[in-house]
Amino acid sequence: MGPDASLIDAIAVTEPRKASLYFDIKRNTLDDGPGIRSVVFFKGCPLSCTWCQNPESINTGYELSYDAEKCISCHDCADACPEQAIDLSSPDKIIRDKCTQCFKCVDVCPSGALERCGNDIDMDHLVEKVLEDEAFFEASGGGVTVSGGEALMQMDSVGELFSRLKQRNVHTLIQTAGLFNYKVFENLVLPYTDTIYFDLKLMDSDAHKQYCGVPNHSIHENFRKVQALARDSVIEVLPRVPLVPFITDTDENLSAIADFMLENGVKNMQILPYNPIWLDKLPRFGSVQRLDFGEGTGKFMPDAELDRCTEIFESRGIHVHCHR
Amino acid sequence: MNAITNVVGQSLEDGARVARLKKAVDEATYGGCIERAVLWSEYYMDEANDGKSTAVQIAEATRHVLANKTVKIYPDELIVGNFTAKRVAGICYPELGGLGIMIGVDKLPTRKVNPLEISEDEQAKLQSYIPFWMDKNMVYLAFDGQEEQMRFVKEQIEALQYQLYEAGGIAHLAPGYEKVIKLGAEGIIAEVEAFEAQTNDPSKLDFYQSVKISMNALAEFGDRYATEARRLAEAEADPQRKLDLERIAEVCARVPRYGATSFYEAVQSMTLTHIAIFQETIGETTCPGRVDQFLNSYYEEDLAAGRISRQEAKDILGAFCVKLCETIPMYSDELTSMLGGLTSWEVVTIGGQDSEGNDATNELSFILLELADELRMRQPNFHVRLHENTPKAFYDEVIRVNFGPGSAPAMYNDETIIESMMNVGYSLEDARDYVAIGCVEPTAPGKTLGSTDAGMYNMALALEMALNEGCQFGSDRQIGVKTPPVSSMKSMDDVLDAYKVQVKHQLGKLHADLQKCEQFHAKYHPTPITSATLEGCLEQGVCSTQGGAKYNFSGIQGTGMAVVADSLGAIESAVFEDKWLTLEELVAHLKDNLSDEVVRTRLKGIDKFGNDIPKADAWMKWVGDHYSDSIHALGKNTRGGQYLAGVYSNTSHTHFGGLINATPNGRRAGETFASGFAPENGADKRGSTALINSMNRIDFKKFANGINFNIKLDASSYDCDDGKSALGSMYKVYFKRHGMQVQANMLDPKILIEARDNPELHPNLLIRVSGYSAYFNDLSPEMQDEVISRSSNGAEQ
Ligand code: SF4
Ligand code: SF4
C-alpha cells in the first residue's frame, strides 16, 4: 500500500451525495473522445497539479468567479452583498475571507461577470442536460465524457449517469487522473463504461507529490488494473500524458512513462500539448499562480517539442495521438 | 450537317485550359457595358418600329441586339459567347431599372464599393438616351402620375420598409434549357407553328410571332459565332488552336439553331441561350439549374461511343462555369447596399433525386463538385441537393468541398423542400425536380415563373412602429398605422396586436406596389425567349409575364426575423414576467438608444433564439409562422400564382438594420441584423449543436420560397478527418429533423481575430483543448493572441 492509501479510503467512505457537483457541461466537443460529445466537468479533485487547466475544478466546494473583462461596474453586486465582501475599488474586487458564498451577487449581476462555480444537480436533470445532443451522438458515434476535476470522486453519480446512458445506448467515457478506489469503481462504474482516458503525469513519485500533491503509487496500481481490462477487451483505455515544459516533458520522465506503458501492453497513447490558457482562469477565483517556467508558461508548445515527445513513444512502438 | 463526333485529341491539357480561362477572367477589370442599352434604344427610337405590338417590339429589339452586339471569341475558349463587349461587365437596361444607373453613370468608375470601368465617351453616349427613356421606363409606366412615381422611387432608394426587385426585372427563374438543347431554335419554331395553326386568337398569334422572331434571332446569334470562329481559324497560326476554332465553328453552326447531338453542343447551346436571355431582359439570377441531370444523357452517350473522356467533359463544363463569371450586375449604389458584391446568382444545382424519387446523383454531379472546389469563383453558385439515398461518396465529397477559400456549397434537404413545394401546389414529380434559384429559392425548372426575389421586407420596422404608434422613434412621419400608445398596452397580446397591425399594413403597401410592377411586366415587357423555354407558355399562347407558365409565384423575403423574435421575448420577460421595467420605461430606453449600459446588458442577458432554449426558440417560430401566414394572406399575384414567404437577406440585413433604432433585444440603433434565418449576431452562445436544435424547432415547410441558414464554423476545428465526419453528422441530424438549407461559413483563423476584435460577434467559439472548459471569448487578449498564432501556424502547415 502506498502512502496515499488514507486518501483513497477517504474517498471511498465519502457519504454518497444526493446530488452531483459539477461546474460545467460543454457540448459539441470533438476532442474528448470519438464523435460529437458532451462533457460533464465534475468538481473536486484529489490531485492538485500546479498546471491544472481547470483550477476551478480542484476544490470540492462552491466558488465565486469574477471576470473583470465582463464587468460593467454597475455596483449592483456590492449593494446586494450582505457581507460587504465586494469592493470594486480594490484590485481583487472580492474579499474572499469575508465571502460566505451566498451568491446573492451572482443573482443581480447583469453582465455575467460574477458567476457561481459549482452547482448541485440531481440525476434526472443531469441526464436531461447531457442528452440535449443525443441525436448528434447517435449520428456521429459520439457520446458523453465525464471529466473534472476528478469525476471518479463522485462514483455514485458517474455510475448512475452512465447506467442511464447505457440504457439509451450512449457511448460513455471517463477522463481520469487515476486516483480512485478501484473496488468501488469496479462495482459502480465499470459495468457502464466504454472507454477510459487515463492520465499519467510523472513517474517519479516524489516529483508527483511535489507537483500534483499526492504520490503516484495508487494511480499506477489502478493503471495496471484498467490496462488488464483493456487487454481483455472489457473496455478501451487510452493513456494520456499532459506535457508540461520542464516538468512532465523531460526525456527522462517521458521515457520512464513509455517504458511503464510498454510493461502494461499499451499500443496507443495520446500526448496532450501544454495548454497555457489555464493562466487566464486564476485571477477569477482569486487564486495564485503556482507554476512559472519563464516565457513559455504563457505559450503553446512549438511543434518541434511535440515531435520530440512523440518520438520517445513512437520509437518504442507506441502509436501517439496528438491534436495540434 | 456534320455533328462534332469526336473532341478527343483536342488541346484540353487536363484542366490547364480551364485554369487559363479562369485566370483571364479573374484578372479582368470589371466594367459597365453600354452596348445593349445603345442597341435597345436605337430600336425603340426608330419610328419605323412605332405601332408594332409590344411583344413584337421586344422580340425585334432583342434581335437587333443579338444581331449587332460585339461577338468575341477569347484565347483558349472552347465554349464561346460573350454577355457584353467587355470580358467581365454588367449590362444596363434603360427600360427597366437602368435609368438610375444612366443618371449616375459618371460615379461608377470611382465609387468605393464595386467600381465599374466605363469610359467617358461611353458615359456620354449612355446619358444621351436619358431623355428618351424618361417617360418609357418601368416606374413611369407602372405608376400613375408624377407624385406616385416620385414616392415609389424615393421609397425604393430609401428602402426602409421594403425593396421590390421585380421593379428591375423578373428573372429569378430556371429557363427550360433542356428544351432548347434538345429541340434547338428551329425545333421550337416548329412547335410554335403547330400551335399557331390551332388558333385565331390575335393575342396568342401575336405572342407566337414574337417567339418566332426571337428564336430566329437566337439561331442567327449562333451563326455569328460560327462565322467569327471561321474567321479566326483562318488567321490562326497555332495548328492546335486552329483545330479548336474550326470545331467551334462547326458547333455554333449547329447550335442553338438545331438540337444538340453531343455533350459539347449541348453545353454550347445552353451558353448562347443563356446569354441571349440576358439581352432580352435583366439576366441576373437566371439559373442554369440541374445541369448534371439534363446533360447526363449527352455525356453518357458520348462516353459510351468513345467521343469524349471524363476530363474533356470536365473541361467543357469548367469553361461554361468560368463563362458565367463574365457577367456582373450593374447596380446603383442603393441596390449595391442591399445586394452587396457582384454576384449574378446563376445557380447550378447538383445531385438530388429524379421525378420518381430515385437518387439522381451521377458522374456529372461529381465533376461539378470538383469544379466548385477547383474554381472557387464568384459564379456559378453551386447548390447541392441531398436526400436519404444520396451516395456516401458524394456526401463525403460535399463535406470535403466545404473547406477551402470562398464560399462553401449550399446544401438543401430534398425532403423538406419537396414537401414545402407540394404545399403550395407543385406536383410531386415537379417538386422532386426542383432547382435552387438565386440565393436559396426552390422552383421547378423549365415550367415556373417564380419571381422568387420579388421583394425584401423589413420586419423589424413593424416592431419599432408597434412600440411608437406607427412612427419610428424620434420621428413623427406616420409610416405605419397609429396603433395604441405603449402606456395602454397591458399584456403581451396588446404588443403582438399592434405588431400584427403594422405588419399587415406594410405588407398591404408592398403588395399594392408589387402588383403595379407585375402589371408593367405583363403589359410592357414580355419575354418571348424565356417564355418559349417554359412549359405552359406555348401551349397556352401566353407569355410567362402574363401567367403563361405552368407555375406562377412571387417570393417575398422577410429580414430581421431574429431581432423581432428576440425583442418580443425580451419584452415578455422584462416587462410582463420579471417586471423589472415597464413598457414605457423600456421604450424610453430604446428612444435613448439604450445608453444605460446596465439596462442594455440586462436586455442582452435575456434568453435568445439559437441556444436550444425552447421558450426563446418559440418566439422565432411565432414570428416566422406569422410572417408566412401574412404573406400567404396576400392572395394571388397578377399572374395567378401565390405569394410565397422566404427568409434570406443577401446583404439587406445590414441595410435594414442601419435604419432601425434600438430594439428590445439589447441592440443599438443602426446595428446590423443577422443574415437570413440565423440567430442575431453573437446571440447563440451554446455552440453549433444547440443552434441546430433551435433551428429544428422551426417549421420550415412554411417557407416555400426558401430559407438561408448560414452557420459560422471555425474551420480549424473541423478540417481533419474526425472533424469532417462530425460536421457531416451534424448536417445529417439537422436534415433528418426537417432542416431545409444550410451553408457553412468556414472562418479560420479570421474568425478568431474577428472574435478578439468584436467579442459580441462570436461568443460561442470553443477552445479546442481536451478536457478544457472555456470559450475563446473568455480569454484575456494576450491569451487570445496566443491561440490565434497557434491556429495560424496550423493553417500554414
Ligand atoms: S457570494 Fe454572497 S457573500 Fe460572497 S460576495 Fe457574493 S453576495 Fe457577497
Ligand atoms: S454586478 Fe456584475 S457587472 Fe455589476 S459591478 Fe458587480 S460584477 Fe460588475
Side-chain angles (χ1 to χ4, degrees), chain A residues 178-195:
Chain A
L179 189 57
F180 52 84
N181 185 306
Y182 188 81
K183 273 217 165 64
V184 182
F185 167 77
E186 205 173 22
N187 283 330
L188 294 183
V189 183
L190 180 63
Y192 315 108
T193 302
D194 292 314
T195 303

Side-chain angles (χ1 to χ4, degrees), chain A residues 168-229:
Chain A
R168 304 184 68 98
N169 243 327
V170 173
H171 182 270
T172 56
L173 188 151
I174 302 169
Q175 292 179 348
T176 179
L179 189 57
F180 52 84
N181 185 306
Y182 188 81
K183 273 217 165 64
V184 182
F185 167 77
E186 205 173 22
N187 283 330
L188 294 183
V189 183
L190 180 63
Y192 315 108
T193 302
D194 292 314
T195 303
I196 298 181
Y197 283 3
F198 198 116
D199 288 1
L200 294 172
K201 286 152 184 160
L202 286 156
M203 280 311 281
D204 181 87
S205 195
D206 291 339
H208 200 278
K209 185 159 175 40
Q210 183 191 342
Y211 289 105
C212 303
V214 293
N216 60 16
H217 304 108
S218 300
I219 295 173
H220 291 179
E221 198 46 48
N222 282 342
F223 183 73
R224 287 188 189 97
K225 288 178 184 157
V226 299
Q227 259 316 119
L229 294 174

Side-chain angles (χ1 to χ4, degrees), chain B residues 107-393:
Chain B
K107 293 196 219 91
L108 289 188
T110 52
R111 68 179 178 190
K112 278 212 181 66
V113 183
N114 305 150
L116 298 176
E117 197 170 79
I118 178 163
S119 74
E120 279 179 20
D121 285 352
E122 290 170 322
Q123 292 173 24
K125 178 116 184 156
L126 195 60
Q127 287 188 318
S128 71
Y129 297 109
I130 293 173
F132 177 78
W133 288 106
M134 280 309 264
D135 61 355
K136 291 173 204 66
N137 66 81
M138 196 245 119
V139 171
Y140 186 91
L141 296 172
F143 291 88
D144 297 331
Q146 207 183 345
E147 204 176 310
E148 260 297 274
Q149 291 158 9
M150 290 305 290
R151 176 204 52 91
F152 182 74
V153 170
K154 245 179 81 183
E155 288 186 2
Q156 281 285 100
I157 289 174
E158 183 188 22
L160 167 65
Q161 312 180 61
Y162 49 82
Q163 195 167 47
L164 299 183
Y165 301 135
E166 201 171 307
I170 301 180
H172 290 94
L173 81 167
Y177 289 145
E178 187 174 4
K179 179 176 174 186
V180 185
I181 292 170
K182 205 160 140 195
L183 301 179
E186 299 270 4
I188 291 176
I189 290 171
E191 205 178 78
V192 172
E193 281 167 350
F195 285 120
E196 248 178 348
Q198 296 167 24
T199 186
N200 293 318
D201 181 333
S203 87
K204 288 187 183 184
L205 291 172
D206 182 40
F207 170 64
Y208 288 137
Q209 195 192 347
S210 74
V211 174
K212 285 199 292 182
I213 295 167
S214 302
M215 285 299 124
N216 274 314
L218 178 62
E220 284 158 14
F221 188 47
D223 296 343
R224 293 188 68 205
Y225 285 93
T227 308
E228 174 66 3
R230 241 175 268 119
R231 185 185 72 79
L232 290 173
E234 272 160 30
E236 181 61 54
D238 175 2
Q240 194 60 60
R241 183 62 185 155
K242 197 182 180 75
L243 205 70
D244 282 356
L245 288 162
E246 281 164 0
R247 285 184 202 276
I248 291 170
E250 282 177 64
V251 168
C252 291
R254 279 198 50 82
V255 296
R257 180 177 289 281
Y258 303 107
T261 59
S262 69
F263 182 76
Y264 188 6
E265 285 182 4
V267 177
Q268 183 61 68
S269 179
M270 164 167 69
T271 306
L272 288 178
T273 311
H274 188 63
I275 290 171
I277 285 179
F278 271 67
Q279 315 304 319
E280 174 177 87
T281 183
I282 193 162
E284 271 84 59
T285 325
T286 299
C287 300
R290 301 187 81 181
V291 171
D292 60 348
Q293 300 306 308
F294 61 73
L295 291 179
N296 195 44
S297 60
Y298 297 94
Y299 172 62
E300 284 186 344
E301 272 172 38
D302 282 4
L303 198 66
R307 286 192 296 257
I308 203 169
S309 68
R310 187 186 192 276
Q311 183 62 45
E312 284 161 348
K314 184 173 168 183
D315 281 11
I316 287 168
L317 275 180
F320 170 71
C321 291
V322 173
K323 180 127 308 263
L324 296 180
C325 280
E326 291 182 3
T327 178
I328 50 174
M330 196 163 165
Y331 289 149
S332 62
D333 290 359
E334 292 78 25
L335 261 182
T336 299
S337 93
M338 296 290 277
L339 297 171
L342 287 168
T343 303
S344 41
W345 291 288
E346 298 153 284
V347 176
V348 168
T349 302
I350 318 174
Q353 46 196 289
D354 63 19
S355 55
E356 267 97 58
N358 305 309
D359 176 56
T361 313
N362 59 36
E363 198 54 30
L364 293 183
S365 318
F366 281 91
I367 289 177
L368 285 165
L369 260 189
E370 286 167 27
L371 287 167
D373 187 33
E374 288 159 22
L375 294 174
R376 296 195 176 271
M377 294 172 84
R378 189 169 38 75
Q379 291 296 305
N381 296 11
F382 289 99
H383 292 192
V384 179
R385 286 180 47 171
L386 299 168
H387 60 110
E388 256 183 0
N389 298 321
T390 296
K392 185 177 180 304

Side-chain angles (χ1 to χ4, degrees), chain B residues 565 609 613-623 697-698:
Chain B
F609 171 70
I613 300 168
K615 197 172 168 201
D617 298 344
W619 277 115
M620 190 73 164
K621 176 161 166 35
W622 185 89
V623 173
R697 294 206 168 95
I698 306 297

Side-chain angles (χ1 to χ4, degrees), chain A residues 24 26 31-32 280 284 303, chain B residues 768 771-773 778 780 797:
Chain A
D24 199 7
K26 190 162 104 172
D31 297 291
D32 295 285
D280 256 22
R284 284 179 218 160
D303 283 333
Chain B
R768 273 200 77 176
Y772 179 73
S773 139
D778 293 336
S780 63
Q797 280 170 4

Side-chain angles (χ1 to χ4, degrees), chain B residues 179 191 195 204 207-208 446-448 530-544 547-552:
Chain B
K179 179 176 174 186
E191 205 178 78
F195 285 120
K204 288 187 183 184
F207 170 64
Y208 288 137
K447 41 180 79 102
T448 312
T530 312
S531 299
T533 74
L534 295 178
E535 187 181 326
C537 295
L538 295 186
E539 293 84 338
Q540 299 188 61
V542 178
C543 177
S544 62
K550 182 171 179 188
Y551 298 107
N552 292 281

Side-chain angles (χ1 to χ4, degrees), chain B residues 474-656:
Chain B
S475 152
D476 51 14
R477 185 172 146 212
Q478 193 74 42
I479 311 168
V481 179
K482 195 163 166 50
T483 41
V486 285
S487 57
S488 72
M489 294 182 183
K490 298 294 173 229
S491 67
M492 203 55 209
D493 282 343
D494 291 346
V495 178
L496 295 181
D497 285 345
Y499 170 74
K500 289 183 205 162
V501 168
Q502 301 295 356
V503 170
K504 189 166 183 207
H505 174 252
Q506 276 188 288
L507 287 180
K509 272 188 70 182
L510 180 154
H511 179 237
D513 281 348
L514 181 52
Q515 294 222 324
K516 295 255 161 65
C517 300
E518 292 165 7
Q519 282 156 352
F520 161 83
H521 290 293
K523 193 163 171 201
Y524 299 104
H525 213 297
T527 51
I529 302 181
T530 312
S531 299
T533 74
L534 295 178
E535 187 181 326
C537 295
L538 295 186
E539 293 84 338
Q540 299 188 61
V542 178
C543 177
S544 62
T545 55
Q546 293 156 8
K550 182 171 179 188
Y551 298 107
N552 292 281
F553 298 101
S554 302
I556 302 167
Q557 283 42 265
T559 298
M561 203 147 107
V563 81
V564 174
D566 288 349
S567 293
L568 291 174
I571 294 173
E572 182 183 45
S573 158
V575 176
F576 296 110
E577 289 176 356
D578 294 348
K579 302 192 171 100
W580 55 268
L581 85 181
T582 65
L583 194 54
E584 280 169 281
E585 285 164 352
L586 172 61
V587 170
H589 282 295
L590 297 178
K591 287 181 175 167
D592 184 35
N593 200 18
L594 293 175
S595 68
D596 184 329
E597 191 58 26
V598 177
V599 169
R600 191 181 83 99
T601 309
R602 281 191 191 283
L603 292 170
K604 283 227 151 200
I606 296 170
D607 291 343
K608 303 287 194 282
F609 171 70
N611 294 291
D612 198 3
I613 300 168
K615 197 172 168 201
D617 298 344
W619 277 115
M620 190 73 164
K621 176 161 166 35
W622 185 89
V623 173
D625 288 356
H626 174 255
Y627 178 65
S628 167
D629 294 345
S630 305
I631 294 292
H632 290 165
L634 294 176
K636 300 223 147 148
N637 65 21
T638 55
R639 296 183 289 270
Q642 208 176 317
Y643 290 99
L644 303 181
V647 182
Y648 60 84
S649 56
N650 295 325
T651 52
S652 71
H653 53 279
T654 307
H655 174 92
F656 284 145

Side-chain angles (χ1 to χ4, degrees), chain A:
Chain A
M1 276 248 185
D4 48 337
S6 58
L7 182 59
I8 296 274
D9 290 341
I11 299 167
V13 297
T14 308
E15 277 232 343
R17 299 180 70 98
K18 288 200 188 64
S20 320
L21 179 67
Y22 77 107
F23 70 95
D24 199 7
I25 294 175
K26 190 162 104 172
R27 294 167 73 165
N28 193 28
T29 79
L30 302 172
D31 297 291
D32 295 285
I36 297 175
R37 307 189 75 83
S38 289
V39 184
V40 182
F41 290 89
F42 284 88
K43 194 155 156 43
C45 185
L47 275 65
S48 52
C49 306
T50 49
W51 60 80
C52 179
Q53 56 180 1
N54 296 320
E56 74 274 36
S57 73
I58 296 175
N59 186 320
T60 48
Y62 312 123
E63 275 165 279
L64 178 63
S65 144
Y66 169 78
D67 183 349
E69 304 245 348
K70 286 189 185 155
C71 177
I72 57 169
S73 306
C74 68
H75 283 262
D76 284 7
C77 52
D79 296 345
C81 175
E83 310 294 333
Q84 278 84 48
I86 300 180
D87 177 3
L88 290 164
S89 58
S90 83
D92 293 339
K93 317 284 182 202
I94 315 291
I95 306 156
R96 304 261 166 193
D97 304 346
K98 285 196 190 172
C99 174
T100 59
Q101 295 173 338
C102 70
F103 300 113
K104 291 202 165 101
C105 54
V106 173
D107 294 341
V108 299
C109 175
S111 67
L114 284 167
E115 273 179 316
R116 173 193 174 125
C117 177
N119 275 290
D120 295 306
I121 189 166
D122 66 51
M123 195 45 65
D124 289 346
H125 282 102
L126 183 58
V127 171
E128 192 181 307
K129 264 181 177 275
V130 298
L131 288 181
E132 282 176 332
D133 281 348
E134 190 177 12
F136 298 95
F137 305 157
E138 207 183 298
S140 69
V144 173
T145 296
V146 294
S147 184
E150 175 54 63
L152 294 180
M153 269 185 100
Q154 300 181 52
M155 285 204 258
D156 293 303
S157 297
V158 173
E160 171 79 18
L161 173 66
F162 278 12
S163 84
R164 297 237 213 145
L165 292 174
K166 286 322 294 179
Q167 282 167 19
R168 304 184 68 98
N169 243 327
V170 173
H171 182 270
T172 56
L173 188 151
I174 302 169
Q175 292 179 348
T176 179
L179 189 57
F180 52 84
N181 185 306
Y182 188 81
K183 273 217 165 64
V184 182
F185 167 77
E186 205 173 22
N187 283 330
L188 294 183
V189 183
L190 180 63
Y192 315 108
T193 302
D194 292 314
T195 303
I196 298 181
Y197 283 3
F198 198 116
D199 288 1
L200 294 172
K201 286 152 184 160
L202 286 156
M203 280 311 281
D204 181 87
S205 195
D206 291 339
H208 200 278
K209 185 159 175 40
Q210 183 191 342
Y211 289 105
C212 303
V214 293
N216 60 16
H217 304 108
S218 300
I219 295 173
H220 291 179
E221 198 46 48
N222 282 342
F223 183 73
R224 287 188 189 97
K225 288 178 184 157
V226 299
Q227 259 316 119
L229 294 174
R231 282 197 303 273
D232 295 344
S233 305
V234 179
I235 49 168
E236 271 187 63
V237 175
L238 183 70
R240 308 197 301 175
V241 177
L243 300 177
V244 182
F246 310 113
I247 302 174
T248 68
D249 83 341
T250 61
D251 287 349
E252 192 193 348
N253 182 49
L254 294 180
S255 303
I257 292 180
D259 291 339
F260 179 57
M261 287 180 176
L262 274 186
E263 267 168 42
N264 287 284
V266 171
K267 296 203 173 61
N268 284 288
M269 63 85 65
Q270 185 176 17
I271 53 174
L272 302 167
Y274 173 67
N275 168 22
I277 312 172
W278 64 284
L279 288 168
D280 256 22
K281 287 185 170 180
L282 294 174
R284 284 179 218 160
F285 297 93
S287 8
V288 273
Q289 185 178 334
R290 294 186 293 155
L291 180 68
D292 189 353
F293 42 85
E295 213 203 320
T297 320
K299 298 250 176 274
F300 286 100
M301 280 182 142
D303 283 333
E305 275 297 280
L306 297 177
D307 291 343
R308 175 184 64 80
C309 298
T310 302
E311 184 50 30
I312 293 173
F313 294 91
E314 295 274 357
S315 66
R316 287 168 170 79
I318 302 173
H319 179 62
V320 176
H321 301 264
C322 176
H323 288 292
R324 296 197 175 180

